[in-house]
């Protein structure tokens, strides 16, 4: 409810009422309330955000003549997205909303270059050597690797000293006669020299090569085998012949089975950890990864306090006169005329009977935003205070003292708001508000008011709560007041 609406509903309609003329300006006069002349101030108290789906409510924590209004506005559910309006001018930046849930991690950016290696920390002490494990069985010999390329010749070392002359070896076997070279061209005959003296007879020349073997003759018949002769004594072992050239490598044999694994030797004691080397400089930052998916929208912040009313726009042109409406309800009684001269005192009449009634309900489950049902406890035989249905009490014109009490057990922490209505509007300023903090706690409250009824009206109590309830109880006692000529109120016994 806007504060101006509250002011208009409770004060503006009563300006000029006859009872207000008797109040001194700006006093706390309960008999004149509501009256603009007596109650010129309305202040705003606190503003709270209620749960979604609950009714808005306004409570008065001040006095009837110095009202302090506290507002509770329920958080609305998210409506459908409206059409995009024209962009307005930028407003001032609002407070930051709650942070949304973290979105999915974006893909990794490219790895930045490795930073330089830090200096090596000192080597920790060597752990004790574990016991040697037993040797495994020897695996098969692998194939001979390819011969590596010949290394470059080293530099020639210095010539060693000449060794002593060895003994002359035996003459080697005569080599084969080399082929006869081609006969050279005959040279010119030289001049015949003088005959020299006869030389001494030389030694025999070397034996010439053996002539070629003659062709093999036809094999003769085998002779009879003679008896085996006795085995001769074993001759002395001859000198080892020169090592022959290495034969080609044979084909690789099939791989033998792996030998059984030897038992693992005990682990040596762990050496002390060396101190950490100095941290190297941080490498360049890699390229930023792509943005992760947007996280879900955070919850809507609390509704801000209602802004002040904008200035009144210019008055539009007068519309065409509409058809005559039906007659409105009869307006309030006009101001009382000047008091005439006092007539003679008449005979004392009988005292009027008191007019009163009471109503109650018990052990009900009240329904949110619904008028409370009740039954008649004490009926009014005059018909001025009558329960016309389960929720409405009809009141004839006059002044009434109304007292009511409401209680209920709230299943979970929440609130209970009771709002009376009469004279065609609700009056939250005379209501009850109670908040609980634990499960299955009682919420209760009572109030007493004096109201003026100018024409017949209905009095009701409306229940509001944001949590389930049980064991609802309500009582209402209503007394019609007799006002004498001096303006004082005579209140009958309250039932």
């Amino acid at each position: 409810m806007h504060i101006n609406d509250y002011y208009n509903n409770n004060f503006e309609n009563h300006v000029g009422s006859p009872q207000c003329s008797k109040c001194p300006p700006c006093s706390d006069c309960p008999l004149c309330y509501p009256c603009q002349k007596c109650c010129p101030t309305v202040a705003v108290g606190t503003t709270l955000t209620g749960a979604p789906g609950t009714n808005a409510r306004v409570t008065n924590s001040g006095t009837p003549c110095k009202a302090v209004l506290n507002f509770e506005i329920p958080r609305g559910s998210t409506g459908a997205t409206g059409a995009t309006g024209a962009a307005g001018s930028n407003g001032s930046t609002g407070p930051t909303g709650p942070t949304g849930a973290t979105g999915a991690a974006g893909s990794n950016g490219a790895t930045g270059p490795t930073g330089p290696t830090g200096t090596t920390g000192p080597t920790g002490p060597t752990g004790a050597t574990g016991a040697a494990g037993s040797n495994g069985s020897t695996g098969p010999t692998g194939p001979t690797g390819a011969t590596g390329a010949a290394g470059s010749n080293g530099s020639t070392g210095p010539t060693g000293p000449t060794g002593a002359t060895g003994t002359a070896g035996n003459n080697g076997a005569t080599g084969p006669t080399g082929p006869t070279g081609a006969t050279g061209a005959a040279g010119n005959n030289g001049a015949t020299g003088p005959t020299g003296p006869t030389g001494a007879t030389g030694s025999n020349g070397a034996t010439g090569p053996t002539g070629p073997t003659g062709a093999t003759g036809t094999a003769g018949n085998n002779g009879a085998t003679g008896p085996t002769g006795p085995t001769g004594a074993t001759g002395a072992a001859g000198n080892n012949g020169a090592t022959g050239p290495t034969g080609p490598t044979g084909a690789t044999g099939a791989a033998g089975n792996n030998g059984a694994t030897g038992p693992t030797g005990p682990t040596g004691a762990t050496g002390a950890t060396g101190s950490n080397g100095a941290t190297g400089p941080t490498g360049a930052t890699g390229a930023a990864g792509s943005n992760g998916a947007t996280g879900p929208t955070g919850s809507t912040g609390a509704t801000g306090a209602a802004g002040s009313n904008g200035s009144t726009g210019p008055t539009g042109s007068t519309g065409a006169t509409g058809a005559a409406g039906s007659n409105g309800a009869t307006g309030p009684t006009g101001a009382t005329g000047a008091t005439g001269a006092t007539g003679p005192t008449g005979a004392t009449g009988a005292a009027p009977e008191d007019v009163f009634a009471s109503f109650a309900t018990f052990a009900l489950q009240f329904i949110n935003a619904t008028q409370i049902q009740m039954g008649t406890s004490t009926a009014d035989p005059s018909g001025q205070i009558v329960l016309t249905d389960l929720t409405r009490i009809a009141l004839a014109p006059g002044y009434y003292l109304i007292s009511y009490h409401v209680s209920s057990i709230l299943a979970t922490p929440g609130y209970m708001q009771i709002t009376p209505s009469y004279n065609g509007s609700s009056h939250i300023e005379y209501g009850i508000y109670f908040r609980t903090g634990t499960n299955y706690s009682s919420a209760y409250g009572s109030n007493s008011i004096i109201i003026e009824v100018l024409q017949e009206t209905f009095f009701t109590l409306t229940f509001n709560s944001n949590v389930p309830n049980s064991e609802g109880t309500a009582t209402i006692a209503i007394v019609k007041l007799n006002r004498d000529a001096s303006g004082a109120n005579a209140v009958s016994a309250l039932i």
Side-chain angles (χ1 to χ4, degrees), residues 190-277:
T192 305
T195 304
T198 304
T201 303
S203 58
N204 293 329
T207 303
T210 302
T213 302
T216 302
T218 303
N221 296 327
N222 290 329
T225 302
T228 302
T231 303
T234 304
N239 296 327
N240 291 332
T243 303
T246 303
T249 302
T252 303
N257 295 328
N258 292 329
T261 303
T264 303
T267 303
T270 303
T273 304
S275 58
N276 293 330

Side-chain angles (χ1 to χ4, degrees), residues 30 34 54 65 69 73 122 130 168 172 181 251 278 282 294 307 309 363 420 454 463 471 479 485 493:
T54 61
C65 292
L69 303 184
I73 302 171
T282 303
T294 303
N309 291 334
L454 299 179
F463 174 89
E471 301 299 321
V479 178

Side-chain angles (χ1 to χ4, degrees), residues 368-423:
N368 180 47
T370 303
Q371 295 171 348
I372 296 176
Q373 299 183 4
M374 60 190 64
T376 301
S377 298
T378 303
D380 169 27
S382 70
Q384 299 180 73
I385 307 172
V386 179
L387 182 66
T388 60
D389 57 28
L390 293 178
T391 61
R392 299 190 302 169
I393 302 172
L395 302 177
Y399 289 90
Y400 294 87
L401 171 62
I402 302 176
S403 298
Y404 66 92
H405 173 90
V406 179
S407 66
S408 180
I409 297 176
L410 303 187
T412 57
Y415 70 87
M416 178 185 76
Q417 173 74 48
I418 306 299
T419 306
S421 297
Y422 56 88
N423 287 340

Side-chain angles (χ1 to χ4, degrees), residues 326-332 455:
S326 57
N327 291 332
T330 303
Q455 59 185 13

Side-chain angles (χ1 to χ4, degrees), residues 1-443:
M1 177 187 295
H2 195 278
I3 188 171
N4 288 345
D5 297 333
Y6 176 87
Y7 177 84
N8 293 336
N9 291 342
N10 293 279
F11 303 135
E12 186 177 32
N13 294 337
H14 297 279
V15 176
S17 298
Q19 67 273 23
C20 292
S21 62
K22 300 176 183 178
C23 294
C26 301
S27 67
D28 292 339
C29 178
L31 300 181
C32 299
Y33 184 77
C35 174
Q36 185 181 18
K37 181 182 293 185
C38 299
C39 298
T41 62
V42 177
V44 175
T46 61
T47 301
L48 302 175
T49 301
T54 61
N55 290 338
R57 61 185 181 81
V58 181
T59 57
N60 181 9
S61 60
T63 65
C65 292
K66 289 183 174 61
V68 178
L69 303 184
N70 302 311
F71 296 82
E72 181 166 333
I73 302 171
R75 182 181 292 111
S77 57
T78 304
T81 303
T84 303
S89 58
N90 292 332
S92 58
T93 303
T96 303
T99 303
T102 303
S107 58
N108 292 331
T111 303
T114 304
T117 304
T119 58
T120 303
T123 303
T126 303
T129 303
S134 59
N135 292 330
S137 58
T138 303
T141 303
T144 303
T147 303
S152 58
N153 293 328
S155 60
T156 304
T159 304
T162 303
T165 304
T167 58
N170 297 324
N171 291 330
T174 300
T177 301
T180 300
T183 302
N188 296 323
N189 291 327
T192 305
T195 304
T198 304
T201 303
S203 58
N204 293 329
T207 303
T210 302
T213 302
T216 302
T218 303
N221 296 327
N222 290 329
T225 302
T228 302
T231 303
T234 304
N239 296 327
N240 291 332
T243 303
T246 303
T249 302
T252 303
N257 295 328
N258 292 329
T261 303
T264 303
T267 303
T270 303
T273 304
S275 58
N276 293 330
T279 303
T282 303
T285 303
S290 58
N291 292 332
T294 303
T297 303
S299 57
T300 304
T303 303
S308 58
N309 291 334
S311 57
T312 304
T315 303
S317 58
T318 303
T321 303
S326 57
N327 291 332
T330 303
T333 305
T336 304
T339 304
T342 303
T345 304
T348 303
E353 292 185 352
D354 294 329
V355 176
F356 54 85
S358 63
F359 312 90
T361 189
F362 179 76
L364 289 183
Q365 182 178 17
F366 295 150
I367 301 174
N368 180 47
T370 303
Q371 295 171 348
I372 296 176
Q373 299 183 4
M374 60 190 64
T376 301
S377 298
T378 303
D380 169 27
S382 70
Q384 299 180 73
I385 307 172
V386 179
L387 182 66
T388 60
D389 57 28
L390 293 178
T391 61
R392 299 190 302 169
I393 302 172
L395 302 177
Y399 289 90
Y400 294 87
L401 171 62
I402 302 176
S403 298
Y404 66 92
H405 173 90
V406 179
S407 66
S408 180
I409 297 176
L410 303 187
T412 57
Y415 70 87
M416 178 185 76
Q417 173 74 48
I418 306 299
T419 306
S421 297
Y422 56 88
N423 287 340
S425 63
S426 60
H427 294 270
I428 197 170
E429 71 274 19
Y430 298 139
I432 297 171
Y433 178 78
F434 194 103
R435 180 178 287 277
T436 63
T438 58
N439 293 338
Y440 296 101
S441 295
S442 294

